[in-house]
Amino acid sequence: MSLVFDRPLLSEQLTMAATEVLETMFFASVDTASDEAESPVGDRIGASLDFHGACAGRLALSLDRATAEGLASNFFGGVGEGGAEEDSQSVMVELTNMVCGAMLSHLDRNSIFCLDTPKQLEPGQEPTGEIVRDLSLEDGLLRLAFSLQESAPKVDAH
Amino acid sequence: MAFDVMIVDDSPAMRRFIRRVIEVSGFGVGRYLEAGNGEEALKQLEHEWVDIVLTDINMPRMDGEELVTEMRKQDHLMAIPVIVISTDATEARIGRLKQLGAQGYVTKPFAPERLREEIETVLGVTPEGALVGAGMGMDGGDDEFSF
């Protein structure tokens, strides 16, 4: 079975997966979620991850650096030996991994997906994809982008 | 009672997080061993004994499925309980790991209590040292598989 490109469903699942991960492991809440709005500004960092298996695609996200440092502090319970910069980079990678895994698992519980190792985005690079969602956190904006390969069947149900 | 724990994950951040969760859970831990993939884990386990292995699935060189498979083949490792910690919550994956011989499975994201409960179940003791009735201990029995 492969995923069907149902934009509203994927958009909803993307938001749900990110919210679940943020609340459970980073003790952060999502205030609002919306489709891509204005281009985020400021000093931002991000990561992306390719997945394959029943279906292939990519998930990427970005966050302003200060918020990433706050999430890292929540995740680790303090700042590590490598400092806040290293912590925030590694947390972005973990956040990407967990959001992607949670989303795919919710979408198709009967297939096996393999997640590649997440990669950091270049400084200033914002994630792009067929579906882009902006999640407003307490003091920052998390941008999520999700794409399926063209082989994924598309439906126009909405 | 203090346990020796091995954490296998290619992400240093995740290893650090899991270690922190175990520490705040109150389990007495003697030693933490860490490995970045299954191959490194097996190499360490050639000359080290641990009471429990917590492993990710997707890792370079040797993934978690291969690690569990290898551990179940080797006489000196088959008794060590394994808990898989993964973002993959699909029934297909969980079923496959169960067949391979993992005793526990925790899907990310997880609350700290969830990992503590799984360790309690698999080891058969609480952080306070009380025995857990349904614990499978080291016998590897399939009936108590705790997904």
Side-chain angles (χ1 to χ4, degrees):
Chain A
M1 177 182 171
S2 60
L3 298 181
V4 172
F5 192 90
D6 180 335
R7 183 179 293 277
L9 173 68
L10 293 175
S11 182
E12 179 189 348
Q13 290 291 338
L14 182 58
T15 302
M16 282 177 57
T19 302
E20 180 187 13
V21 171
L22 287 165
E23 289 179 349
T24 307
M25 297 191 78
F26 296 91
F27 311 108
S29 58
V30 175
D31 293 333
T32 59
S34 62
D35 291 334
E36 180 178 10
E38 297 175 9
S39 293
V41 293
D43 185 14
R44 296 174 64 81
I45 58 175
S48 72
L49 175 158
D50 292 337
F51 60 88
H52 47 93
C55 199
R58 173 174 295 176
L59 184 138
L61 54 81
S62 71
L63 191 59
D64 58 277
R65 194 176 299 272
T67 306
E69 289 176 3
L71 292 183
S73 180
N74 288 353
F75 187 71
F76 292 124
V79 178
E81 293 174 1
E85 171 69 19
E86 185 177 304
D87 281 0
S88 55
Q89 292 285 0
S90 58
V91 150
M92 292 304 290
V93 165
E94 277 312 312
L95 183 59
T96 308
N97 186 45
M98 284 189 274
V99 171
C100 188
M103 181 181 180
L104 294 175
S105 297
H106 287 156
L107 285 169
D108 185 354
R109 295 190 64 83
N110 296 312
S111 297
I112 286 181
F113 292 94
C114 290
L115 310 186
D116 289 347
T117 302
K119 298 170 187 164
Q120 291 175 21
L121 295 180
E122 294 295 322
Q125 182 186 359
E126 280 298 322
T128 57
E130 292 166 296
I131 295 172
V132 178
R133 296 287 286 169
D134 286 341
L135 271 55
S136 174
L137 309 183
E138 188 177 350
D139 52 3
L141 179 77
L142 172 66
R143 171 156 290 180
L144 302 151
F146 181 83
S147 296
L148 286 177
Q149 279 189 349
E150 286 184 6
S151 58
K154 300 197 176 194
V155 296
D156 189 18
H158 301 274
Chain B
M1 178 179 276
F3 297 102
D4 293 337
V5 177
M6 171 174 272
I7 303 169
V8 190
D9 199 307
D10 59 328
S11 162
M14 204 61 216
R15 296 201 300 265
R16 185 172 150 201
F17 177 80
I18 292 169
R19 190 170 167 154
R20 174 176 166 244
V21 168
I22 295 172
E23 284 169 356
V24 301
S25 294
F27 284 103
V29 175
R31 289 183 311 159
Y32 286 102
L33 302 182
E34 296 188 12
N37 59 58
E39 194 176 285
E40 287 179 14
L42 289 176
K43 200 168 283 182
Q44 291 189 55
L45 290 171
E46 283 176 8
H47 48 83
E48 302 279 0
W49 171 264
V50 295
D51 296 290
I52 189 166
V53 170
L54 310 176
T55 184
D56 186 20
I57 295 176
N58 290 309
M59 295 179 287
R61 286 161 59 184
M62 180 185 282
D63 65 24
E65 288 194 3
E66 293 172 279
L67 172 62
V68 175
T69 302
E70 285 302 314
M71 287 182 67
R72 294 301 167 249
K73 280 185 197 168
Q74 300 184 25
D75 289 344
H76 69 294
L77 301 180
M78 63 172 54
I80 300 176
V82 177
I83 294 176
V84 175
I85 301 175
S86 173
T87 57
D88 192 337
T90 60
E91 291 171 11
R93 179 75 82 174
I94 294 171
R96 182 190 287 189
L97 264 301
K98 176 181 178 181
Q99 279 191 325
L100 292 174
Q103 280 90 348
Y105 199 111
V106 175
T107 56
K108 292 185 272 187
F110 61 87
E113 301 77 37
R114 174 75 188 94
L115 181 59
R116 191 199 66 215
E117 288 167 4
E118 198 71 354
I119 294 173
E120 280 182 9
T121 303
V122 169
L123 288 178
V125 293
T126 68
E128 296 77 28
L131 295 177
V132 176
M136 63 186 307
M138 301 290 186
D139 65 5
D142 206 24
D143 293 341
E144 302 297 341
F145 198 74
S146 50
F147 287 162

